[in-house]
Amino acid sequence: MIAHETTISTSREVAESTTYERHYSSTSFWRKVRAVARFAGRDVTERALLLYYAVQNPELPSWARKVVYGALGYFILPTDAIPDLIPGVGFADDLGALAAAAALVVIHITPEVKARAAAKLAEWFDAPQED
């Protein structure tokens, strides 16, 4: 338990998860991730999807649910520490929040969650692009 508390305290984004949690909704998540997936990149999109699918599990502990909703809320938030539209660095803060949350709830990211995220990533990133 101390390791979890230490990790949370070292990540400003995750430590403030209850602040960002109120910005989360499934509709807002899908709207944002579909709009920015290619621009944000595979790493950001993968972590967002892993957390999204992990939080669908009704057995996820409440502390983990709060961390996930906080990170996803931060991702969805239109204004954040680094504006998303800045090329090359716009999603660095989002990646940090998503990665920290994923590290905290890693034991709840099941093979099924990984498979669902991988399928969606393949659909968005591996399919031939239409011009």
Side-chain angles (χ1 to χ4, degrees), residues 52-126:
Y52 175 80
Y53 291 126
V55 83
Q56 304 306 307
N57 180 353
E59 295 178 17
L60 189 70
S62 62
W63 69 264
R65 191 170 301 283
K66 287 179 184 269
V67 168
V68 170
Y69 282 143
L72 292 176
Y74 185 82
F75 173 67
I76 291 167
L77 192 65
T79 56
D80 53 27
I82 301 173
D84 292 341
L85 298 177
I86 297 175
V89 296
F91 286 94
D93 58 326
D94 298 278
L95 180 57
L98 295 169
L104 287 170
V105 301
V106 70
I107 63 171
H108 301 287
I109 298 177
T110 65
E112 179 187 348
V113 166
K114 290 176 185 177
R116 292 178 74 189
K120 187 57 77 176
L121 284 170
E123 178 184 323
W124 288 345
F125 288 91
D126 298 339

Side-chain angles (χ1 to χ4, degrees), residues 6 8 12 14 18 42 56 64 66 87 102 107 110 119 122 124 129:
T6 303
I8 290 173
R12 181 172 161 242
V14 177
T18 56
R42 193 176 190 110
Q56 304 306 307
K66 287 179 184 269
I107 63 171
T110 65
W124 288 345
Q129 296 302 302

